[in-house]
Amino acid sequence: MGTFKIEGGHALKGEITPQGAKNECLQILCAVLLTDQKVTIHNIPDIIDVNKLITLLGNLGVKIQKIGAGSYTFQADEVNVGYLETEQYKKEGGALRGSIMIVGPLLARFGKGYIPKPGGDKIGRRRLDTHFEGFIQLGANFRYNREDHFYGVEATKLKGAYMLLDEASVTGTANIVMAAVLAEGKTTIYNAACEPYLQQLCKMLNSMGAKITGVGSNLLHIEGVEKLDGCVHRILPDMIEIGSWIGLAAMTRSELTIKNVSWENLGVIPNVFRKLGITIEKKGDDMYIPAHKDGYEVKTDIDGSILTIADAPWPGFTPDLLSIVLVVATQAKGDVLIHQKMFESRLFFVDKLIDMGAKIILCDPHRATVIGHNFQSQLKATTMSSPDIRAGISLLIAALSAKGTSTIQNIEQIDRGYERIDERLRAIGAKIIRA
């Protein structure tokens, strides 16, 4: 188990370029199974979760070739569907949350898709019902082996249908869309997720010959086609990493430029950080954050009540950045209520911040009130463990701002979502060692 040793309290300076979007990449990689033609994908992040999925595709028989840094070709012309029933697949598929999204493409193209109960962050219940209810409405038969926690769907031919999703699940919508593009007839999906990741997937599928309209809205119309062709696709910069760097700059009072952020795909993210008093400037497609030498002051609501920052489906604020916002609020001037609506275990890392001297009241599993220090009291170094990807990066940001040397254990959780993070932080002046 790896650890980070972080000497905090140093201002950083320079430029940092966000990696390709992890959440988009996991969808895009699964989509290569929908065609026997070559698919080229650029800006793939070199992170644990993505590399696990690439290995899984290779074991399924997909021909994979790395053609450059972050660039690969995939050709699924000799898929070994029998691999789905092996013990190796049960182990590998269960180690990765994103593996659930291979089911839709396999079902659409080969008439069957199996998946063990997928892994991922331990942040509360993450139901799969939306995925399988969508497949069933397209005509698939569902079965579940409780003993092995093994899910399966099978169909001779999928047929288009109208469906109203019970929740705007991003991975659920992606899975159903990938199944529906090869179904017979028209599929309508209402209450579809409309995150940029999902928009990117739909644009890629359309470039392969799919017929999807309503992209960017919560009402998708899909005319099924007989086959899809290959394509070339480039993954967006990771908006969660961009938000992480904004938080890092504020907490360490550093001057940072985040390169090529794709402003049009950031939604409300910059404005939420501005509500915390953080100055963010647009310079072309770059984002400039000046050093906040005098701190940053929280903006209250119009009626003077405490600022509440809550997560919501797109175009609302992404739940993946609430942990970052919570850490940033610990040194703000003013108080903030963080309301995590989607996951009931995601705020349970705040005890580690309290140990560092943060003033946080955990009201219940979904809400925490943060009383900002305004840099009058610096966080103290400590030893802690990373419970999941987003809490891990939040604790790393806290450690970089803290006085003294901190140790973060279980950093594999951070490596699941952030590419070579220690190297990239050292390049802008951070004192961090991987042990």
Side-chain angles (χ1 to χ4, degrees):
M1 185 181 292
T3 61
F4 282 143
K5 297 279 188 184
I6 303 115
E7 183 182 308
H10 301 285
L12 313 178
K13 187 178 177 66
E15 297 179 346
I16 195 160
T17 302
Q19 66 188 32
K22 167 185 176 279
N23 290 342
E24 176 191 340
C25 188
L26 296 176
Q27 298 178 24
I28 297 301
L29 288 176
C30 294
V32 306
L33 291 166
L34 286 164
T35 179
D36 61 0
Q37 302 298 305
K38 186 175 289 186
V39 176
T40 302
I41 305 175
H42 299 295
N43 204 27
I44 293 177
D46 182 12
I47 55 179
I48 288 176
D49 278 11
V50 166
N51 293 335
K52 280 183 178 179
L53 184 54
I54 291 174
T55 298
L56 182 62
L57 291 172
N59 291 338
L60 262 170
V62 179
K63 296 168 184 169
I64 302 168
Q65 184 177 0
K66 186 172 184 178
I67 56 175
S71 296
Y72 289 78
T73 63
F74 301 85
Q75 189 161 6
D77 57 347
E78 294 181 352
V79 173
N80 175 21
V81 183
Y83 171 69
L84 299 175
E85 301 183 53
T86 65
E87 289 300 319
Q88 182 183 356
Y89 172 64
K90 289 181 181 179
K91 181 179 179 181
E92 291 182 348
L96 175 67
R97 179 77 187 176
S99 61
I100 182 64
M101 287 182 290
I102 71 170
V103 176
L106 290 171
L107 175 65
R109 191 163 158 224
F110 302 102
K112 61 175 71 173
Y114 308 133
I115 192 75
K117 186 177 181 180
D121 286 329
K122 306 305 180 189
I123 54 177
R125 184 171 181 241
R126 305 172 79 180
R127 60 200 293 275
L128 299 175
D129 301 51
T130 304
H131 300 251
F132 293 108
E133 286 172 4
F135 298 146
I136 291 167
Q137 289 184 71
L138 291 172
N141 294 313
F142 171 73
R143 57 188 176 87
Y144 174 51
N145 184 329
R146 290 185 179 277
E147 188 174 320
D148 293 339
H149 296 291
F150 205 63
Y151 303 85
V153 279
E154 297 172 346
T156 304
K157 181 64 180 176
L158 297 178
K159 294 191 176 180
Y162 172 87
M163 60 186 79
L164 173 61
L165 302 188
D166 60 345
E167 64 174 340
S169 163
V170 178
T171 55
T173 303
N175 228 346
I176 295 166
V177 166
M178 288 189 282
V181 291
L182 294 180
E184 187 179 280
K186 182 178 179 179
T187 299
T188 299
I189 307 174
Y190 196 22
N191 195 31
C194 45
E195 272 77 354
Y197 318 129
L198 202 283
Q199 296 177 39
Q200 284 286 98
L201 173 66
C202 291
K203 290 173 184 175
M204 172 185 170
L205 293 173
N206 281 344
S207 74
M208 296 167 72
K211 296 179 179 178
I212 308 171
T213 57
V215 179
S217 77
N218 69 346
L219 182 61
L220 296 176
H221 299 284
I222 304 165
E223 290 283 352
V225 297
E226 288 191 4
K227 65 184 293 292
L228 295 178
D229 300 316
C231 72
V232 177
H233 180 81
R234 183 173 184 82
I235 292 168
L236 288 174
D238 196 315
M239 70 169 82
I240 313 304
E241 199 179 76
I242 292 165
S244 303
W245 303 143
I246 297 171
L248 172 68
M251 279 290 283
T252 57
R253 293 193 272 190
S254 301
E255 179 184 352
L256 288 185
T257 297
I258 308 171
K259 303 292 291 181
N260 305 320
V261 299
S262 187
W263 278 92
E264 66 272 21
N265 290 296
L266 293 180
V268 300
I269 291 172
N271 285 339
V272 169
F273 282 101
R274 286 179 178 127
K275 286 181 180 179
L276 291 170
I278 297 167
T279 301
I280 297 174
E281 298 177 16
K282 185 177 187 294
K283 295 190 174 182
D285 204 32
D286 298 344
M287 179 183 290
Y288 173 72
I289 298 117
H292 289 70
K293 298 295 187 184
D294 298 322
Y296 42 92
E297 184 171 358
V298 175
K299 295 176 173 59
T300 59
D301 288 344
I302 292 173
D303 62 359
S305 59
I306 186 172
L307 174 66
T308 298
I309 298 178
D311 57 341
W314 187 270
F317 190 63
T318 172
D320 283 345
L321 280 176
L322 275 186
S323 302
I324 306 291
V325 167
L326 189 149
V327 168
V328 172
T330 64
Q331 290 295 358
K333 182 180 180 181
D335 308 328
V336 182
L337 174 64
I338 304 295
H339 192 172
Q340 167 60 269
K341 297 176 182 176
M342 295 190 186
F343 304 107
E344 62 268 19
S345 302
R346 206 161 210 170
L347 295 180
F348 286 169
F349 77 102
V350 300
D351 60 327
K352 300 172 178 63
L353 296 174
I354 293 169
D355 287 345
M356 297 177 78
K359 295 178 181 176
I360 304 171
I361 302 166
L362 187 61
C363 309
D364 56 46
H366 292 277
R367 294 177 302 159
T369 301
V370 186
I371 300 149
H373 283 169
N374 191 25
F375 291 101
Q376 298 302 306
S377 176
Q378 195 173 1
L379 296 181
K380 302 184 295 291
T382 188
T383 297
M384 47 200 161
S385 179
S386 172
D388 63 69
I389 300 174
R390 307 309 174 189
I393 191 69
S394 302
L395 295 173
L396 178 53
I397 291 170
L400 286 164
S401 73
K403 185 178 182 179
T405 300
S406 295
T407 300
I408 300 180
Q409 300 165 343
N410 196 29
I411 59 172
E412 289 78 11
Q413 287 289 349
I414 301 173
D415 289 334
R416 285 179 49 217
Y418 291 83
E419 179 179 324
R420 298 179 293 100
I421 190 165
D422 50 327
E423 295 176 31
R424 295 159 73 204
L425 288 172
R426 281 195 294 272
I428 56 174
K431 297 186 182 299
I432 177 172
I433 297 171
R434 180 185 295 264

